Amino acid sequence: MNLIDYFLSKRKKTAVVAKERLQIILARERVDRTGPDYLPALKRELLEVVAKYVAIDVDKVQVNLQHDGDCEILELNIALPEAPSTQPQAQLASQ
Amino acid sequence: MATIIVVTSGKGGVGKTTTSASVSTGLAKRGFKTAVIDFDVGLRNLDLIMGCERRVVYDFVNVIQSEASLKQALIRDKHCENLYILPASQTRDKDALTKEGVGQVLDQLRQDFDYIVCDSPAGIEQGAMMALYFADEAIIVTNPEVSSVRDSDRILGILQAKSQRAVNGSGRVKEHLLITRYSPRRVEAGEMLSVKDVQDLLGVPLIGVVPESESVLQASNSGVPVIHFDKSASGQAYDDVVSRFLGEQKPMRFLEPEKKSFIQRLFGT
């Protein structure tokens, strides 16, 4: 890489991109791994309840368990298809 | 009592077998009686890398199923007198590696050997699980590349949850990170994750860095573990790995791009 390239390049180096992507995905997968055993079943049953009332696309559902100090926050994000109501997203947070 | 070392990675093609061959050779060269076992049932390759493919008569599964004795199946290495190879079966199913069977063979080997190196197959199925289950120490082979780093992290999670030590609560498997196919030039250009990046991401103590090198292919072509190529950077890097494994302090080498001489620059080579 010569000097001109150096001053012209505005794009982030791919190694930096790789590291950032890995930091995010590894953090997420570690949470899945170390999360409580009941989490997968809880996710599934919650979704079944919602699916009873609303036609949801399972791919458009996000379930996250976050740690914030001593609190654990379970966040359920469901994109409702063509929702007629004013709220396009339902959010459920429990502590 | 022998120490059991698993060489694992999750991802395929990162250099597990190359590493198993060189680390076991290095240990044997230093006088330790060492056995290296191929756990890749159905896709055996350690025999080729060690150059003993024509001397395979019995294999690991034969021993597990009592069709041959351990003594019959172990192949003595042609370069090192302290080194023995236990090849994988080429025809059987990978489920032939049962926990009881593998445990019995390892117990038997433990009586006679100082080190047992388990060459894990790629993936996280039966062969890979059995290769790591009995381990005392683990060498995680990782390329500075996204999928390899992710798979290594997954394997680390499995070691910490599913190995015998984890299950019995008898301590942790001692983990060592080995970065292979490293290109200092590409790291300098910002095209490749650096040693520090990979270490930060995985959080495992580094045991060595093996640079990308032509001699690895030449070594496998000729069936001689690359550690025997003592003029090549990767051969030297593996020798350092073995020294560090045995507790010696060795500074990391081959982390900087080779400086080109004036003549090389002139001719653009």
Side-chain angles (χ1 to χ4, degrees), chain B residues 260-269:
Chain B
K260 285 185 177 175
S261 70
F262 176 71
I263 304 282
Q264 281 173 319
R265 274 173 202 273
L266 206 66
F267 291 100
T269 53

Side-chain angles (χ1 to χ4, degrees), chain B residues 14 53 226 266:
Chain B
V14 298
E53 68 278 8
V226 73
L266 206 66

Side-chain angles (χ1 to χ4, degrees), chain A residues 13-15 19 29-30 33, chain B residues 150 153 190 197 200-201:
Chain A
K13 295 277 169 52
T14 55
K19 189 175 185 185
E29 288 176 347
R30 282 172 192 159
R33 225 160 47 211
Chain B
R150 182 200 214 169
D153 193 66
D197 290 337
D200 287 351
L201 287 160

Side-chain angles (χ1 to χ4, degrees), chain B residues 29-49:
Chain B
K29 273 169 89 178
R30 283 165 173 77
F32 295 102
K33 198 170 175 195
T34 306
V36 57
I37 309 176
D38 190 348
F39 276 75
D40 204 346
V41 174
L43 292 168
R44 118 173 134 212
N45 275 320
L46 180 68
D47 55 337
L48 269 180
I49 301 300

Side-chain angles (χ1 to χ4, degrees), chain B residues 21-89:
Chain B
S22 281
V23 168
S24 57
T25 300
L27 289 167
K29 273 169 89 178
R30 283 165 173 77
F32 295 102
K33 198 170 175 195
T34 306
V36 57
I37 309 176
D38 190 348
F39 276 75
D40 204 346
V41 174
L43 292 168
R44 118 173 134 212
N45 275 320
L46 180 68
D47 55 337
L48 269 180
I49 301 300
M50 302 288 300
C52 65
E53 68 278 8
R54 285 162 62 187
R55 291 190 289 145
V56 176
V57 182
Y58 295 109
D59 60 57
F60 193 12
V61 175
N62 290 140
V63 179
I64 287 175
Q65 299 183 343
S66 306
E67 294 157 353
S69 71
L70 196 50
K71 210 174 167 184
Q72 286 175 305
L74 284 171
I75 303 168
R76 194 171 166 176
D77 185 66
K78 58 185 171 190
H79 303 288
C80 297
E81 57 171 347
N82 289 319
L83 182 56
Y84 292 81
I85 300 127
L86 184 55
S89 169

Side-chain angles (χ1 to χ4, degrees), chain B residues 99 110 133-136 158-173:
Chain B
K99 197 177 280 179
R110 267 195 164 127
Y133 184 77
F134 297 95
D136 300 305
I158 292 172
L159 273 167
Q160 290 155 14
K162 303 262 172 75
S163 63
Q164 190 179 43
R165 281 174 173 242
V167 173
N168 293 351
S170 53
R172 272 177 79 112
V173 177

